[in-house]
Amino acid sequence: MKSAFHAAFGAVALLCIATFWLSTVMAELFTSYQEIAVVKVTILRGMWILIPCMIITAASGFSLASGRPGRLVDSKKRRTRIAAANGLLVLLPCAIVLARLVEAGRTDALFYSIQALELIAGAANLTLLGLNMRDGLRLTGRLSKRAR
């Protein structure tokens, strides 16, 4: 049961990050300033879903891993810590600043510099969480250790 709980919240967190990242890219490439503003503000509001999901996923993951040795468990723990730090120290501040800048009508070099940082950090978290999902599937036996 705890494993299913962990997987469900992890999947929602991964889906949130992927949605935020893709929405940003699509808005920047194909929409107007007003729609970019809506996306940035909506992403900030979406943190009320993402952050609790990440906390629950990390807590349940560390609980599931307690006393369980192994390379996959150690890798998942390390990636989780990096993703959490990236989220709290880079992604959340970027989301806040970008939403404030776009609300002020500023889409200048500062906006796009922070936007680039956010996209890079978001891609890193997508990669880290995707690898954690893969290793979680391996740990539960739902994915062969040899599968790519």
Side-chain angles (χ1 to χ4, degrees):
M1 178 67 175
K2 192 186 298 185
S3 180
F5 187 74
H6 173 73
F9 278 92
V12 171
L14 187 61
L15 183 61
C16 282
I17 295 169
T19 300
F20 296 166
W21 198 90
L22 287 170
S23 297
T24 295
V25 170
M26 298 304 278
E28 291 293 342
L29 292 176
F30 302 113
T31 67
S32 67
Y33 169 79
Q34 289 80 15
E35 290 163 332
I36 292 169
V38 168
V39 167
K40 300 317 304 174
V41 171
T42 303
I43 287 171
L44 185 57
R45 289 182 184 147
M47 293 296 165
W48 289 103
I49 297 169
L50 175 61
I51 292 171
C53 285
M54 291 292 291
I55 292 169
I56 292 167
T57 303
S60 60
F62 281 102
S63 173
L64 286 166
S66 67
R68 188 171 183 174
R71 183 185 58 78
L72 289 179
V73 172
D74 292 341
S75 294
K76 282 182 59 107
K77 285 180 181 179
R78 185 178 64 253
R79 286 191 295 257
T80 298
R81 288 183 180 109
I82 294 168
N86 186 28
L88 289 173
L89 301 175
V90 179
L91 290 168
L92 182 58
C94 283
I96 293 167
V97 170
L98 288 170
R100 298 302 174 245
L101 286 172
V102 81
E103 285 175 335
R106 287 190 57 193
T107 53
D108 52 11
L110 176 63
F111 176 87
Y112 285 106
S113 297
I114 296 170
Q115 183 72 60
L117 174 63
E118 183 186 50
L119 287 170
I120 292 165
N125 266 16
L126 279 172
T127 301
L128 293 167
L129 297 178
L131 291 170
N132 273 4
M133 180 180 259
R134 179 204 63 194
D135 287 349
L137 291 170
R138 286 179 176 170
L139 285 166
T140 61
R142 294 185 184 142
L143 184 66
S144 166
K145 289 186 180 184
R146 293 184 185 179
R148 292 185 179 200

